[in-house]
Amino acid sequence: MAKRIQFARTGGPEVLELVDVPPVEPGHGEVRVRHQAVGLNFIDIYFRTGLYPAPALPSGLGTEGAGVVEAVGEGVEHLAVGDRVAYAQGPLGAYAESHVLPAEKVVTLPDGIDAETAAAAMLKGLTVQYLLRQTYPLQGGETILFHAAAGGVGSIACQWAKALGVKLIGTVSSPEKAALAEKNGAWATIDTTREDVVERVRELTAGAMCDVVYDSVGKDTWETSLDCLKQRGLMVSFGNASGPVEGVNIGILNQKGSLFVTRPSLNGYADTRERLEAMAADLFARIESGEVVIDIGQRYPLAEAAQAQEALAGRKTTGSTVLIP
């Protein structure tokens, strides 16, 4: 038997339960990974609450993990038993001691990257990869606004942007988080609890505003984010931490300066094994070079997944959080 976290109904953290399940044998094109670390992400909360519907209930939770391949199904050629691997796009069920998933979603790890780093980096790091290198291919010299700059995605984005020669302005919610974002390479920070974001962006840019805004907050920051863009700037809405953006009149993009807007996702970019491997190689190279250091701010036992989610939702975490089976 193997332990996993599951939920039989949507709701608060209390719906999560630790159960014993029999190990599943991988089918054609699948592998079973014995986890050494599991990544915690906001999307996990979306599934738990029902914002994103799970395929069926009861359901496992989590889409990101790292460990060792312990079983391989028929037709799998690029992975073997014993390989050190990681993934960020598995079917729900990563909050477990082991997980079966399509082999095409799994990449091998370089020797220099351990399982905890990989579990903390895959989803967040690949998200930053497509945001900064594909959604808007930053060349250097741009000024961007990045919400939640001290969080898991934001911490990586600050470092990567600095390496690219980009001026990243990060929003934070405390002086401590401002210091962390600046340590990670943010050009400037804005404390949303005591500063007006739009006015501060205007001051920092001498009125030029931002080429791109990266917004994972959603409903609460939509208008503010649009107001921080320069003429024909790009609004990248890639998360819903405060709830989804709804009821938008597309004419507002015209009124605020012929703006562009996109709502990307990792699945929309890492949509083939070749694309996934190329994106992962870019991320791993940044980590191995030292340009990006993965900050694991919190570690929780798998059994304490509910407490870990409460801390994440309450903005009490910094950097990345991992669950240890």
Side-chain angles (χ1 to χ4, degrees), residues 287-309:
I287 295 173
E288 290 189 300
S289 73
E291 291 177 325
V292 171
V293 177
I294 304 302
D295 172 29
I296 301 176
Q298 301 76 214
R299 293 172 174 83
Y300 288 85
L302 178 66
E304 296 179 11
Q307 295 94 311
Q309 287 196 354

Side-chain angles (χ1 to χ4, degrees), residues 39-45 63-64 95 119 123-124 309 312 321:
L40 180 79
N41 298 285
F42 235 103
I43 193 173
D44 307 339
I45 296 175
T63 61
E64 176 183 42
Y95 285 24
L123 191 144
K124 301 173 187 70
Q309 287 196 354
L312 180 63
T321 301

Side-chain angles (χ1 to χ4, degrees), residues 16-32:
L16 300 182
E17 55 182 351
L18 184 68
V19 299
D20 289 312
V21 294
V24 177
E25 292 303 315
H28 187 275
E30 294 181 330
V31 294
R32 188 172 72 232

Side-chain angles (χ1 to χ4, degrees), residues 37-68:
V38 174
L40 180 79
N41 298 285
F42 235 103
I43 193 173
D44 307 339
I45 296 175
Y46 299 160
F47 279 108
R48 188 203 73 213
T49 61
L51 177 62
Y52 291 174
L57 295 177
S59 173
L61 196 60
T63 61
E64 176 183 42
V68 177

